[in-house]
Amino acid sequence: SAVAEARRAFETDTTNLTTLLHGAAIYLAMNRPKEAHALVMRLAPTTPPVGYHLAKSGDVAGARQLLERLDARPPEWGDESRRAFTYLGLGDTANALAALERATTAGELWPTDARPTDETYDSIRQSARFRVLLDRVGLGRFAPLIVGR
């Protein structure tokens, strides 16, 4: 099972970014938010999908604090992607799309942080603004596969 594979990967390396992110996603998909949250808390807060996973695991306050920390410091490359993922986790699609637009303008690599077919984007997948973003990052020709998911 996916959980068994995640456990095996975690036993091999408890600090591996991919293991932690995929493990959290697996636990969320299995409706096991406490286990997902435990893995997310091991990640650096600068990891783009952390805010999404915090919110989806029920730690809405933690996700909002992440946004507050982003607003309180000087901007860095990657911040708009972090904001977008956090807003997606919180269900705020308008702010998520605006952040993705700013991330794209800034040349941030948000499509590599969570692949466009990932459930992270389900709430905006049918949006015309999301399709424009796919065009802007060079994935427009794949839009039927991404949007039709």
Side-chain angles (χ1 to χ4, degrees):
S1 77
V3 172
E5 290 300 321
R7 279 192 193 129
R8 197 168 9 262
F10 192 68
E11 288 170 5
T12 302
D13 184 354
T14 60
T15 62
N16 183 279
L17 175 68
T18 304
T19 299
L20 293 169
L21 284 171
H22 286 290
I26 289 165
Y27 283 129
L28 286 175
M30 296 183 70
N31 198 27
R32 294 168 62 176
K34 287 183 182 178
E35 289 100 332
H37 189 265
L39 293 181
V40 170
M41 294 307 293
R42 298 182 65 124
L43 292 164
T46 55
T47 306
V50 164
Y52 175 84
H53 290 302
L54 283 174
K56 289 298 188 179
S57 67
D59 189 356
V60 172
R64 292 201 184 284
Q65 286 173 355
L66 192 146
L67 289 170
E68 290 169 7
R69 284 193 302 268
L70 287 173
D71 291 339
R73 64 171 173 71
E76 295 177 7
W77 187 86
D79 282 354
E80 293 306 327
S81 296
R82 292 180 192 97
R83 276 190 186 84
F85 290 123
T86 304
Y87 283 127
L88 286 168
L90 293 168
D92 184 341
T93 58
N95 275 321
L97 284 162
L100 285 174
E101 289 163 348
R102 291 189 302 271
T104 302
T105 298
E108 294 180 17
L109 304 175
W110 60 266
T112 64
D113 293 321
R115 67 192 183 286
T117 55
D118 194 88
E119 67 275 354
T120 303
Y121 302 104
D122 283 354
S123 63
I124 60 172
R125 191 171 311 287
Q126 300 304 317
S127 165
R129 288 171 69 188
F130 185 63
R131 289 189 198 125
V132 168
L133 284 164
L134 293 174
D135 283 335
R136 288 181 61 197
V137 297
L139 296 174
R141 68 182 182 173
F142 301 108
L145 298 171
I146 295 167
V147 173
R149 179 185 171 277

